Amino acid sequence: MLKVGLTGSIAVGKTFVLGVLRELGCYVIDADAIAREVVVPGTQGLNAVVEAFGSEIVKGDGTLDRAKLGSIVFADEVKRLRLNSILHPFIIAEEDQRLREWEQQDPKGIVVVDAALMIESGGYQRFDKLIVVHCRPEVQLQRLMRRNKLSRAEAEQRIATQMPQEEKKRYADYLIDTSGDFAGTRRQTEDVYHALREASASLQNRER
Ligand SMILES: Nc1ncnc2c1ncn2[C@@H]1O[C@H](COP(=O)(O)OP(=O)(O)O)[C@@H](O)[C@H]1O
Ligand SMILES: [Mg+2]
């Protein structure tokens, strides 16, 4: 199975690209969704977070109080890194389990994992190919302000915590520029998909 990482800075259009790749027949994993699943009530993940941050980060109904946890970790870099290092192994384990299942079902398939910070974390090295989605900085800022209802200053602050787009682009096997309209992004994604099919075929030949 060809394993593909999909990354890029916040609000550049990764989720849209992932949706197109799913329509085209790829298996897809959204790391943000996995990150929410590994801390649902009753999980080892939630227990580990409670051990580190105290029971006040759990709401009356037993679910994680994301707003409270967010206000703690975004105000304190050490705590933010601590939370990341607690959750990371659970997220990777869950992803790996899905990868193994799909690999058995469909060895010729393509699986794409969408994760914003896989270059920063080094996680991109697990993949055969890397797609970096990017757009012009002003477009990114406008999209983030609109999607997350943030002021310009708030949006700029969130963007500034991530590796600059120009630096991420250097890691890419394939680039997708989403600065234009959805149709243009879709066309580029289709081109990347065809290149991935070829990469998948040559991987099969090598493994035979
Ligand atoms: N051409 C485009 N390609 C991708 N996303 C676009 C485009 N034009 C506008 N958007 C919008 O940009 C916002 C950010 O896209 P999203 O896929 O959620 O980003 P990410 O997953 O990288 O954070 C969304 O509201 C999306 O609808
Ligand atoms: Mg997204």
Side-chain angles (χ1 to χ4, degrees):
M1 180 167 236
L2 187 75
K3 299 182 186 69
V4 181
L6 174 73
T7 195
S9 292
I10 187 168
V12 296
K14 296 181 296 297
T15 296
F16 176 74
V17 168
L18 191 73
V20 174
L21 290 168
R22 181 198 285 126
E23 281 171 32
L24 291 169
C26 296
Y27 296 83
V28 301
I29 292 177
D30 173 348
D32 288 340
I34 305 264
R36 286 189 294 273
E37 284 174 35
V38 299
V39 291
V40 299
T43 55
Q44 274 179 281
L46 183 59
N47 292 344
V49 175
V50 170
E51 214 163 281
F53 293 93
S55 53
E56 57 276 15
I57 54 127
V58 177
K59 293 192 278 193
D61 63 1
T63 60
L64 182 64
D65 190 337
R66 291 181 175 283
K68 195 174 266 177
L69 185 60
S71 68
I72 294 170
V73 300
F74 282 111
D76 183 333
E77 178 71 2
V78 172
K79 289 183 179 165
R80 191 176 68 81
L81 294 175
R82 176 136 184 247
L83 178 63
N84 284 349
S85 71
I86 291 169
L87 293 181
H88 201 246
F90 292 107
I91 294 169
I92 296 293
E94 179 62 35
E95 289 181 6
D96 282 349
Q97 180 168 342
R98 290 183 198 195
L99 290 174
R100 275 195 300 275
E101 277 169 26
W102 289 333
E103 177 125 50
Q104 287 189 345
Q105 284 169 26
D106 187 359
K108 292 183 181 171
I110 298 171
V111 59
V112 185
V113 179
D114 169 358
L117 300 178
M118 65 168 66
I119 296 177
E120 286 92 332
S121 72
Y124 74 96
Q125 293 170 63
R126 302 192 290 138
F127 299 100
D128 301 308
K129 297 287 180 191
L130 188 65
I131 304 170
V132 174
V133 181
H134 64 99
C135 66
R136 289 202 313 275
E138 183 56 28
V139 174
Q140 178 192 21
L141 190 64
Q142 293 297 336
R143 285 179 184 166
L144 180 57
M145 287 167 63
R146 183 170 312 151
R147 189 191 66 187
N148 293 28
K149 302 189 172 43
L150 299 177
S151 68
R152 175 170 279 262
E154 289 167 329
E156 281 172 345
Q157 194 194 346
R158 289 214 192 170
I159 290 170
T161 67
Q162 300 189 345
M163 183 189 284
Q165 292 200 64
E166 283 308 313
E167 211 170 306
K168 287 190 175 167
K169 283 160 73 173
R170 290 196 223 124
Y171 291 80
D173 296 295
Y174 309 102
L175 288 167
I176 296 178
D177 182 351
T178 66
S179 303
D181 60 10
F182 285 111
T185 299
R186 181 177 292 275
R187 264 194 306 277
Q188 291 174 71
T189 306
E190 286 167 357
D191 289 345
V192 169
Y193 174 73
H194 293 302
L196 291 175
R197 282 254 75 103
E198 281 173 26
S200 175
S202 62
L203 183 74
Q204 302 297 320
N205 287 334
R206 245 181 294 142
E207 284 176 356
R208 225 179 278 135

